[in-house]
Amino acid sequence: MSQLPRPAHTRRLRSAAVSVALLGLLLAPAAVPSAAAPRLPAAAGSAPASTTVLPGGTGALTGYAIRSAAEVPDTAAAVSTPGYATAGWHRAGPRSTVLAALVADGTHPDPFYSTDQQRIPRRDFAGPWWYRSDFTLPDTSERTSLDFSGVISAADVYVNGRRVASAAEVAGVYTRHELDITDVVRAGTNTVAFRIQPNDPRKHLTLGWLDWLQPPPDANMGIVRDVLVHRRGPVSLHDAHVVTSLDVPSSKSGPAELTVKGRVRNDSRETATATVTAAIGGTGIVLREEVTLRAGETRALVFAPDRHQELRLRRPALWWPAGMGPQNLYGLHLTATVAGSRSDAVRRSFGIRDVKAPLNSAGARQYTINGRPLLIRGAGWSADELLRWDTTAAEDRIEAALDAGLNTFRLEGHIEPDEFFDLADRHGILLLPGWECCNKWEGPVNPTGSGEKWNAADRLTARASMAAEAARLRDHPSVLSFLIGSDFAPDARTERDYLDALRAADWPTPVVPAASAVTTDLSGPSGMRMTGPYDWVPPSYWYDKREGGATGFNSETSAGPSIPTLDTLRRTLSPAELETLWTSPSAPQYHRSPSPTFNTLRLFNEALTRRYGAPRSLRDYVAKAQLGQYENVRAQFEAYARNATDPTDPSTGLVYWMFNSGWTSLHWQLVDRYLDRGGAYYGAKKANEPLHVQYSYDDRTVAVINRRPAAVSGLTARVTLFDTDGASLYDRTVRGLRVGGDGARTTALTVPAVRAAADAPDATYLARLTLTDDAGREVSRNVYWLSTRTDVPDYDATDWYHTPTTTYGDLTGLNSLAAATVTATARTTHRAGSMSTTTVTIRNTSSGNTPALLTDLHLVDGRDAPVLPVRWNDNQISLWPGESAVLTAEHRTADPTGSALRVRISGWNTPTTHIDASSP
């Protein structure tokens, strides 16, 4: 989170030994990723279905029977023997923490509502839990192995009554383990049992929740990635990957060179000769090599362009981030045959792209991709609090981020399963994975964290974790870098271990020593900074080139609290908590943070009252929060976009803290748990439009930002200022504007200062900005609510999480806006598959001069519950009398008849109405 001092209670971790003998396996991962969809847990006490693994195949365990070891008197040998009775055990999915399973089967209440999580006794998770599953082998003609990672925190592993690995060896959530179980399996039913040890992020190299949310009572103990059963012939393939080299700057047409690498291992007891074939889909490239191996021998495999000219691609299909080009992917298929029979095969996808991140003249890390400049517009990604994986939900969130104009997620720990990275590759969102701060991962170096120091076993676990994740992630073109430190860089010995592991894995992108401003002997300056803020600051703050303002690369920053929509609040908080939310500004909020620094909304609520006026009801509080969040998030992204092209000390990247929360939260989120979207989200979406007109709080300039690849000319910008009665204070049009591509900026004009009347020393006014193309079509509209009294931050009093404000802008004039009337029509059309489009035409039909400010459209069902997720082309719009807009909502088709579908229309100064949105 932040490199500056923070409360020591926020995190911690310790050791789990990894044997030196196993380390070689951990450094050489070799499994085929499972693409199996998550399975819903069955009822408690039922036996999980057994997966059958055919010769030459790979299968994932389909689920587990789980139970606290304290309730199981039998020996480990008995528990792991086929046929052992599991009546009364709980059912868990193939990737599940203990608590996720117990919530799914109704043993414990939903921890996401109110304070129900406090009702779950932590003592139930103080000791080990058994995870037991069966798999079936038709025969034992081939070698069989278990391949897995994702154990939290450690586990003894048993197969058919025999221990095949100890908890000292299987330790750490990211370490990968390949266990040869050929000698213990049999034809028919086989049993694997894991005795999972409790987790403590202060003591183990796993994961924790820092100050993000109330941590789960089980501390996420369980198995959260697939456990794979491999069957292979005598020769096996490992570590298959493709190293790509792109000729930059001539990257638009190539060329590129590919090097196919891997290892071939003879697992038999006699010499074997294998023919290895490498085929690259979409290119016609097929390469072969014959390899003779002694019993137990492993040999490196390399198909290089100096021997295989076809690996030099003249015109490669490049992978681009979304908005910059297509997301082209290639496939590698590697096969080993022995005596004419297939012995093993692996498949990998990869992309061709070039990522560089040198330090600019100001010392900031400046990313380019395929030779083109790249301003990182990112946000922090959070896994689900119970680490439940849902591919559809993850894809929905990725699509929402792209729709908001983001191009990057940062993963501070909580490194998601393979499907997440596959989705990122396919959708074109960039990723910045890395290790966590403030717990065991930073135990040796972070004096303000709570992680325990490392011992020799911890160092082996850390190195094995880096090796395993490097091998897993290196071929994903969406992965932009790896951050080997967060608040603090690793010590020199650990950094060397990490870098050696990355180098051995052929890691292809820049390695960043920390997300904070540090310099290490091996990696040099990080080029990053972590100045926050993490709590409320005014919109104008972002324009100052100091603290968290728009300069350099800020790896985590936002104005903190993000109050969700009223719909989500009612699903999250009890009636009493809802009352406290708006009536008690300094009250502790369970759904904010366990940290005493962040467990109230005091700073946010004070600013809201000082700037907008004291809330009159829960609805009024939420409405004011949406206004405040919209203007603040918009200003943050707009400031970084404007300063990206400055000749001195430009902004190069920001990571909004955060994009989503792992549970139902009141802070650090652009979208809420249910993917409903309010002011924070739409402020980001407005700021990050591909072609965008924006106002600067510091110097009142109006700029046009173009994120499209090509330059645009013939643009017209118009700026009109209004008082709260709707009277025009200023109106100017500038024609013939031209702006370059890839984030270029042009300044259209400077707006004059608005002076308050003598009898109104502080006045609220509105600014409407429009941008039209050479055909007169409106391509960007942006409306600001401003004050003649500026917000004044006290930079001298800045601490690690915020800068206090001494004088607040006066936006209370918005409370006197005349009521506006809007009318609308809507209709829904069903597209092929399960998707629908609802089109709404909305018009301000008021007879006066005032706008319908921040008008929000929500698609709802017959009970007035939001239909989610929904992707609107625009929302929370402001229309002046006579103006209209056509808005579209893309959503799933819940009811093919569309009979109950309605659009709820509300706004700052418009009454709530509903219109029918059923199919025509």
Side-chain angles (χ1 to χ4, degrees):
M1 269 259 333
S2 167
Q3 81 275 26
L4 294 171
R6 67 182 72 206
H9 81 283
T10 52
R11 11 251 163 126
R12 217 168 197 164
L13 271 163
R14 184 194 71 201
S15 104
V18 175
S19 71
V20 175
L22 189 61
L23 184 60
L25 293 176
L26 297 173
L27 296 178
V32 178
S34 169
R39 300 166 178 85
L40 295 176
S46 64
S50 174
T51 184
T52 298
V53 187
L54 300 175
T58 295
L61 299 182
T62 57
Y64 303 92
I66 71 170
R67 193 165 191 177
S68 170
E71 299 174 349
V72 179
D74 300 305
T75 65
V79 170
S80 60
T81 297
Y84 178 81
T86 56
W89 287 43
H90 301 273
R91 173 75 165 92
R95 309 172 186 178
S96 180
T97 65
V98 174
L99 184 56
L102 301 187
V103 169
D105 70 14
T107 301
H108 290 310
D110 174 14
F112 285 44
Y113 176 72
S114 186
T115 57
D116 280 0
Q117 185 166 265
Q118 294 180 323
R119 295 165 50 195
I120 302 172
R122 294 182 182 272
R123 64 178 179 274
D124 291 355
F125 315 106
W129 277 67
W130 279 111
Y131 273 56
R132 186 186 185 283
S133 186
D134 291 336
F135 61 93
T136 301
L137 302 181
D139 56 58
T140 57
S141 60
E142 294 187 322
R143 303 200 68 80
T144 304
S145 63
L146 289 178
D147 188 344
F148 60 92
S149 62
V151 173
I152 304 176
S153 67
D156 299 295
V157 186
Y158 296 82
V159 176
N160 293 347
R162 286 174 54 183
R163 192 177 79 171
V164 295
S166 70
E169 297 166 313
V170 180
V173 64
Y174 300 112
T175 57
R176 186 167 182 178
H177 311 272
E178 185 190 7
L179 308 177
D180 190 327
I181 57 174
T182 303
D183 293 340
V184 298
V185 296
R186 63 195 188 189
T189 300
N190 296 267
T191 298
V192 58
F194 295 83
R195 184 162 54 198
I196 307 290
Q197 298 300 314
N199 183 40
D200 184 342
R202 297 171 303 133
K203 299 178 179 180
H204 308 128
L205 287 167
T206 55
L207 54 82
W209 290 99
L210 318 179
D211 41 13
W212 301 5
L213 49 75
Q214 302 290 349
D218 71 337
N220 296 127
M221 69 183 299
I223 303 176
V224 296
R225 293 181 182 172
D226 285 339
V227 175
L228 303 176
V229 180
H230 290 305
R231 300 195 65 195
R232 292 181 283 220
V235 172
S236 56
L237 298 169
H238 302 264
D239 203 30
H241 62 287
V242 179
V243 178
T244 66
S245 176
L246 182 64
D247 186 7
V248 176
S250 59
S251 57
K252 290 184 179 179
S253 58
E257 291 187 346
L258 310 181
T259 302
V260 179
K261 290 188 172 186
R263 288 196 303 278
V264 190
R265 188 176 72 203
N266 182 3
D267 295 317
S268 72
R269 294 180 174 89
E270 56 188 36
T271 297
T273 298
T275 300
V276 180
T277 303
I280 299 177
T283 67
I285 297 174
V286 179
L287 310 170
R288 288 183 177 85
E289 184 169 322
E290 194 170 272
V291 183
T292 299
L293 302 164
R294 299 186 305 276
E297 181 184 0
T298 299
R299 186 176 300 177
L301 178 75
V302 179
F303 294 100
D306 58 350
R307 292 175 50 227
H308 303 278
Q309 292 296 314
E310 56 267 54
L311 290 173
R312 291 191 170 99
L313 305 184
R314 292 175 57 84
R315 293 187 176 274
L318 301 186
W319 186 94
W320 292 95
M324 296 183 73
Q327 289 74 58
N328 296 303
L329 293 171
Y330 290 85
L332 168 67
H333 186 196
L334 208 61
T335 306
T337 59
V338 177
S341 297
R342 193 183 79 159
S343 182
D344 196 10
V346 295
R347 292 181 181 271
R348 296 285 186 270
S349 65
F350 66 96
I352 300 174
R353 54 89 175 93
D354 175 84
V355 175
K356 290 185 170 59
L359 303 185
N360 64 16
S361 59
R365 196 166 290 273
Q366 174 72 68
Y367 280 90
T368 63
I369 189 159
N370 301 337
R372 287 167 56 185
L374 178 67
L375 172 66
I376 299 301
R377 304 186 305 277
W381 172 272
S382 175
D384 173 70
E385 183 197 27
L386 305 186
L387 303 186
R388 295 167 293 192
W389 174 255
D390 184 323
T391 299
T392 299
E395 187 166 24
D396 288 340
R397 282 164 173 77
I398 289 172
E399 290 176 342
L402 292 171
D403 183 56
L406 304 183
N407 59 18
T408 305
F409 284 134
R410 180 183 166 209
L411 286 70
E412 185 189 350
H414 305 79
I415 304 176
E416 294 279 34
D418 295 333
E419 293 95 330
F420 177 80
F421 294 88
D422 293 337
L423 289 170
D425 291 345
R426 198 167 77 240
H427 287 279
I429 194 157
L430 298 162
L431 302 173
L432 289 170
W435 304 130
E436 273 181 48
C437 92
C438 312
N439 52 28
K440 182 71 171 190
W441 287 100
E442 291 188 346
V445 293
N446 189 338
T448 64
S450 57
E452 295 184 358
K453 302 300 182 183
W454 291 6
N455 58 26
D458 295 323
R459 293 197 172 277
L460 288 175
T461 299
R463 182 184 172 90
S465 298
M466 185 72 266
E469 288 302 281
R472 188 172 75 98
L473 303 182
R474 64 191 164 197
D475 276 341
H476 289 282
S478 57
V479 176
L480 196 64
S481 277
F482 198 95
L483 280 65
I484 58 174
S486 180
D487 292 25
F488 288 81
D491 59 41
R493 180 180 173 187
T494 305
E495 182 185 18
R496 186 178 300 107
D497 285 347
Y498 286 159
L499 294 177
D500 287 347
L502 287 158
R503 191 177 302 110
D506 292 321
W507 185 257
T509 58
V511 177
V512 181
S516 58
V518 299
T519 298
T520 64
D521 291 340
L522 296 176
S523 301
S526 70
M528 304 283 227
R529 61 195 181 94
M530 193 185 283
T531 49
Y534 302 96
D535 214 321
W536 193 86
V537 291
S540 58
Y541 168 96
W542 302 108
Y543 287 86
D544 287 338
K545 288 189 175 184
R546 56 191 300 183
E547 303 301 341
T551 183
F553 196 121
N554 197 338
S555 67
E556 44 185 67
T557 180
S558 76
S562 183
I563 305 301
T565 65
L566 190 55
D567 295 298
T568 291
L569 284 171
R570 287 171 171 158
R571 297 175 68 176
T572 301
L573 305 178
S574 68
E577 289 168 322
L578 289 172
E579 184 72 10
T580 299
L581 183 65
W582 75 275
T583 59
S584 303
S586 299
Q589 298 290 341
Y590 185 71
H591 282 263
R592 187 160 186 218
S593 173
S595 162
T597 304
F598 299 122
N599 69 349
T600 78
L601 295 166
R602 180 182 60 84
L603 296 175
F604 175 82
N605 287 339
E606 180 182 5
L608 208 64
T609 295
R610 298 280 293 272
R611 299 174 88 244
Y612 288 99
R616 302 184 298 272
S617 65
L618 174 63
R619 185 176 295 275
D620 183 56
Y621 173 79
V622 175
K624 286 172 176 171
Q626 303 313 311
L627 280 173
Q629 289 160 191
Y630 188 108
E631 62 163 343
N632 211 312
V633 175
R634 175 180 59 182
Q636 180 176 348
F637 281 100
E638 287 182 338
Y640 273 80
R642 188 199 70 174
N643 289 358
T645 53
D646 283 2
T648 59
D649 206 7
S651 54
T652 62
L654 79 153
V655 176
Y656 183 91
W657 207 247
M658 299 175 67
F659 177 70
N660 65 312
S661 177
W663 80 324
T664 42
S665 179
L666 300 175
H667 78 162
W668 294 346
Q669 57 187 358
L670 291 178
V671 295
D672 65 36
R673 175 67 191 175
Y674 305 104
L675 258 185
D676 205 356
R677 310 174 194 189
Y681 179 86
Y682 288 116
K685 180 176 170 67
K686 178 58 62 177
N688 292 322
E689 290 175 320
L691 186 60
H692 179 63
V693 62
Q694 65 183 56
Y695 169 83
S696 301
Y697 281 81
D698 58 344
D699 59 9
R700 303 187 310 281
T701 56
V702 171
V704 178
I705 308 292
N706 179 23
R707 297 184 180 88
R708 297 170 177 169
V712 182
S713 59
L715 299 172
T716 298
R718 182 183 178 187
V719 179
T720 312
L721 305 183
F722 302 87
D723 66 18
T724 52
D725 293 326
S728 176
L729 302 175
Y730 172 83
D731 193 350
R732 186 180 172 194
T733 299
V734 179
R735 295 180 172 82
L737 294 171
R738 183 188 184 281
V739 58
D742 282 339
R745 174 191 86 196
T746 189
T747 301
L749 70 150
T750 299
V751 177
V754 174
R755 307 296 181 189
D759 58 347
D762 298 305
T764 305
Y765 63 100
L766 302 170
R768 180 184 65 195
L769 282 59
T770 60
L771 186 70
T772 54
D773 63 16
D774 55 4
R777 293 182 295 260
E778 186 173 282
V779 293
S780 179
R781 160 182 288 255
N782 209 350
V783 174
Y784 296 78
W785 38 103
L786 303 167
S787 174
T788 57
R789 181 171 64 185
T790 58
D791 298 290
V792 180
D794 183 1
Y795 286 108
D796 291 339
T798 296
D799 54 32
W800 70 266
Y801 66 95
H802 88 305
T803 295
T805 301
T806 57
T807 302
Y808 294 87
D810 184 0
L811 300 171
T812 57
L814 296 179
N815 296 314
S816 63
L817 278 181
T821 303
V822 298
T823 60
T825 59
R827 69 176 190 142
T828 298
T829 56
H830 303 305
R831 308 203 312 268
S834 60
M835 297 302 294
S836 295
T837 300
T838 297
T839 303
V840 182
T841 302
I842 186 169
R843 179 180 296 273
N844 184 339
T845 55
S846 302
S847 57
N849 297 320
T850 55
L853 184 65
L854 216 67
T855 304
D856 178 86
L857 278 65
H858 257 71
L859 204 62
V860 297
D861 62 18
R863 299 169 299 166
D864 202 32
V867 175
L868 299 170
V870 173
R871 185 173 70 219
W872 290 92
N873 69 321
D874 198 2
N875 208 332
Q876 297 203 343
I877 61 171
S878 299
L879 297 173
W880 267 254
E883 293 183 332
S884 63
V886 178
L887 306 182
T888 58
E890 307 291 328
H891 55 95
R892 295 189 181 97
T893 305
D895 177 2
T897 67
S899 58
L901 206 59
R902 299 187 298 166
V903 176
R904 181 207 300 154
I905 303 172
S906 60
W908 176 256
N909 59 326
T910 56
T912 300
T913 58
H914 293 77
I915 61 171
D916 179 65
S918 58
S919 304

